[in-house]
Amino acid sequence: MTSTGVNPINFAGRAANSPQFEALYAEGMTLVEETAAYLDGPGRAASKHLNAKAASLYSAESIRLTTRLMQLASWLLLQRSLNSGEMTREQVVQERRKLRLGGGGNEDEISAWSELPPGFRDLADHATRLETRIRKLDESLMRENATPEPANNQVIAQIDLLQTAFARR
């Protein structure tokens, strides 16, 4: 509740409990399965035809990709547990602190990136886009879970409401 007595609309909370979240969850879990299948099959075969530099990069980026996906899957599972009532918000926030969202690779800046198999690059790009979407939702949820300082000034209170509504940074 703000100093004006008005409760702002919890857009992030609604999004996390919506059919869109279920679609995001399904997308994330499907990506985990597709990546595992690729790395165990076609990716393993393709990596044997890479030069030494690209093979080393493939190995490192495979680890980075699987780590990224495990972090995303953990976040999705935590949010689903909250939505289903299996965990409290406090438990989820506590567990969320153990996750590391963001900080992925800068694939475009790696000179040998284009030498990696196209299937691998596609999976890595998809994971990066998914991570960006999840990170934005997570930041909104974490911001809403933070206790706001009371606003004494009515103008500041209105600006806070507008910033919450439009998520301006």
Side-chain angles (χ1 to χ4, degrees):
M1 185 177 287
T2 64
S3 62
T4 61
V6 177
N7 285 327
I9 296 172
N10 182 346
F11 289 110
R14 289 181 189 220
N17 287 302
S18 69
Q20 289 82 7
F21 172 77
E22 290 304 318
L24 182 69
Y25 179 87
E27 179 184 350
M29 293 307 170
T30 299
L31 184 58
V32 168
E33 291 173 10
E34 289 174 354
T35 301
Y38 176 84
L39 293 175
D40 285 342
R44 181 173 291 157
S47 70
K48 293 180 182 186
H49 301 290
L50 298 173
N51 64 43
K53 182 178 178 182
S56 177
L57 177 63
Y58 180 83
S59 177
E61 289 301 316
S62 295
I63 292 168
R64 186 177 301 188
L65 175 59
T66 56
T67 301
R68 174 183 288 153
L69 288 173
M70 290 302 104
Q71 293 293 312
L72 297 178
S74 295
W75 186 92
L76 289 166
L77 289 167
L78 282 172
Q79 190 59 47
R80 184 174 232 196
S81 294
L82 176 64
N83 294 350
S84 68
E86 295 173 19
M87 294 178 76
T88 66
R89 181 163 303 283
E90 293 77 26
Q91 289 172 317
V92 169
V93 168
Q94 182 72 20
E95 290 299 315
R96 162 53 188 98
R97 290 186 180 120
K98 298 175 186 175
L99 297 178
R100 189 176 139 246
L101 296 176
N106 296 322
E107 292 87 2
D108 296 334
E109 296 176 14
I110 299 172
S111 62
W113 183 254
S114 62
E115 296 177 36
L116 298 180
F120 179 82
R121 292 192 319 254
D122 291 344
L123 289 168
D125 290 341
H126 189 170
T128 300
R129 288 190 310 273
L130 180 64
E131 179 182 48
T132 299
R133 290 169 35 218
I134 287 175
R135 194 174 60 242
K136 286 179 182 177
L137 180 57
D138 181 68
E139 288 169 358
S140 295
L141 290 169
M142 295 302 279
R143 191 172 33 250
E144 287 178 6
N145 288 327
T147 306
E149 294 183 22
N152 296 326
N153 183 318
Q154 292 298 316
V155 173
I156 293 173
Q158 290 300 313
I159 290 171
D160 288 345
L161 283 172
L162 288 170
Q163 287 177 334
T164 300
F166 296 104
R168 301 266 324 188
R169 293 173 117 213

